[in-house]
Amino acid sequence: QVQLVESGGGLVQPGGSLRLSCVASGSNFRFLNMGWYRQAPGNERELVAVVTSGGSTTYADSVKGRFTISRDNAKNTVYLQMNSLKVEDTAIYYCNTEILWRPYWGQGTQVTVSS
């Protein structure tokens, strides 16, 4: 079992940057694949980025070149650096992992991109 706690959301103007953090409880963080998802009002939750336990990364086409996912195993933390933010990036961002095919989610952090 793992608990995930996100932080770092907020209000930012188009073109701005934010860095989201997700801290995971437990001692097995380094073995977990970690992901960021987002859900905008009226839309389904969608995958944003994934970093595997080995450090490989995958991104949704809509964020490639603008977002960077990374992890610090010593701090049990996964980050999402978001640059060149667009209005359409507005959503609640969720941290995610799976243990034995069971998904775990954080409570989410709101990101609002608006002028």
Side-chain angles (χ1 to χ4, degrees), residues 32-82:
L32 301 177
N33 297 334
M34 301 297 300
W36 285 99
Y37 287 71
R38 68 186 180 187
Q39 186 167 19
N43 291 355
E44 294 185 353
R45 195 171 295 189
E46 63 176 1
L47 177 66
V48 176
V50 172
V51 58
T52 69
S53 58
S56 298
T57 58
T58 305
Y59 297 92
D61 288 343
S62 58
V63 306
K64 281 181 181 176
R66 300 189 297 122
F67 290 12
T68 302
I69 189 170
S70 62
R71 64 191 299 156
D72 185 338
N73 290 338
K75 296 181 178 180
N76 277 22
T77 301
V78 59
Y79 303 98
L80 186 68
Q81 177 67 44
M82 305 186 295

Side-chain angles (χ1 to χ4, degrees), residues 20 44 51 97 104:
L20 306 183
E44 294 185 353
V51 58
T97 192
Y104 291 86

